[in-house]
């Protein structure tokens, strides 16, 4: 039994939910998002409370029941508060600059990496600082109202220069725990 799927969603003030045949449209202060409603799942909105039901107890329909409710909840949070992800660039000479809708990364390669920022994503660059190991860090925050778009974009940025385990250089999430390895012990 899906416990998440049956939990009602309270729609906050200033948010409007429109139920169509195969999708749910959420309009709020920050924008508008669509959430799919798969076949076999029903949605009802009464007294600013959104509820989801299902037609059968087939395993796949049960899974889609919880998923549909979670996607709708993410859409409501997105149009009211928005989502953000803090990132760090660690390494000497590693930096980021944002110019309009492009982000320019200097990551130790022979050329800067120019990355297009998609519609619906914002990047806010903070000042650099140093960590206890004296390795410079550039901090930046990626913001969006769409959680899926944000996660996809942030993972692509991280792939530009994954954090390496010996010196810790690269792009990482600020809350990411990096397991460091010891280098070669050398001749004794």
């Amino acid at each position: 039994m899906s416990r998440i799927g049956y939990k009602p969603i309270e729609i906050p003030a200033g948010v409007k939910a429109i139920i169509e045949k195969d999708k749910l449209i959420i309009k709020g202060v920050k924008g508008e998002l669509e959430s799919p409603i798969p076949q076999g799942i029903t949605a009802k909105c009464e007294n600013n409370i959104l509820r989801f039901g299902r037609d059968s107890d087939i395993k796949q329909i049960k899974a889609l029941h919880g998923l549909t409710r979670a996607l709708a909840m993410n859409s409501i949070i997105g149009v009211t508060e928005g989502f953000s992800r803090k990132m760090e660039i660690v390494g000497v000479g590693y930096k980021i600059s944002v110019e309009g809708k492009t982000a320019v990364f200097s990551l130790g390669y022979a050329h800067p990496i120019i990355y297009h920022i998609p519609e619906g994503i914002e990047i806010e660059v903070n000042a650099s600082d140093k960590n206890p190991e004296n390795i410079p860090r550039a901090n930046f925050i990626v913001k969006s109202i769409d959680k899926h778009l944000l996660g996809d974009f942030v993972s692509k940025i991280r792939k530009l220069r994954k954090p390496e385990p010996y010196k810790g250089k690269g792009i990482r999430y600020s809350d990411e725990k990096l397991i460091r390895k010891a280098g070669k012990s050398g001749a004794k």
Side-chain angles (χ1 to χ4, degrees):
M1 176 171 98
S2 171
R3 296 185 179 126
I4 293 174
Y6 284 117
K7 288 176 78 175
I9 300 173
E10 188 174 330
I11 300 173
V15 176
K16 188 175 182 182
I18 302 167
I19 300 171
E20 291 188 1
K21 182 180 178 183
D22 60 345
K23 64 184 172 182
L24 174 68
I25 301 171
I26 307 290
K27 294 181 182 180
V29 179
K30 294 194 175 236
E32 178 181 321
L33 289 174
E34 290 183 6
S35 179
I37 300 175
Q39 192 172 3
I41 305 295
T42 58
K44 295 178 188 173
C45 186
E46 298 171 345
N47 300 329
N48 285 338
I49 294 179
L50 186 61
R51 295 181 192 273
F52 292 95
R54 61 177 183 247
D55 296 342
S56 67
D57 285 337
I58 299 172
K59 189 175 183 179
Q60 185 178 9
I61 299 292
K62 285 181 178 181
L64 289 173
H65 187 207
L67 173 69
T68 305
R69 191 252 181 219
L71 292 175
M73 186 66 194
N74 285 342
S75 295
I76 290 172
I77 292 171
V79 298
T80 54
E81 302 168 18
F83 295 100
S84 65
R85 188 71 181 196
K86 293 182 182 177
M87 304 285 290
E88 293 178 348
I89 300 177
V90 180
V92 176
Y94 289 17
K95 59 185 173 184
I96 178 177
S97 62
V98 178
E99 301 165 358
K101 289 303 267 177
T102 58
V104 180
F105 294 92
S106 296
L107 300 173
Y109 297 118
H111 55 84
I113 299 172
I114 300 170
Y115 206 82
H116 175 70
I117 301 171
E119 195 66 38
I121 297 275
E122 294 177 28
I123 297 180
E124 182 181 306
V125 180
N126 298 334
S128 298
D129 61 350
K130 291 191 176 190
N131 62 351
E133 299 154 356
N134 272 343
I135 300 174
R137 293 178 186 237
N139 298 322
F140 62 100
I141 300 171
V142 183
K143 298 178 181 180
S144 179
I145 63 170
D146 190 351
K147 190 173 186 179
H148 177 74
L149 179 67
L150 176 73
D152 187 43
F153 181 72
V154 167
S155 70
K156 288 178 182 175
I157 286 178
R158 187 177 179 274
K159 287 180 186 176
L160 295 176
R161 185 70 150 203
K162 287 186 178 179
E164 55 96 16
Y166 295 102
K167 292 184 180 178
K169 299 186 327 184
I171 302 175
R172 66 174 110 165
Y173 307 117
S174 64
D175 58 352
E176 182 178 2
K177 301 282 188 225
L178 186 63
I179 299 172
R180 301 286 296 269
K181 292 182 180 179
K184 293 182 180 179
S185 57
K188 292 186 180 181

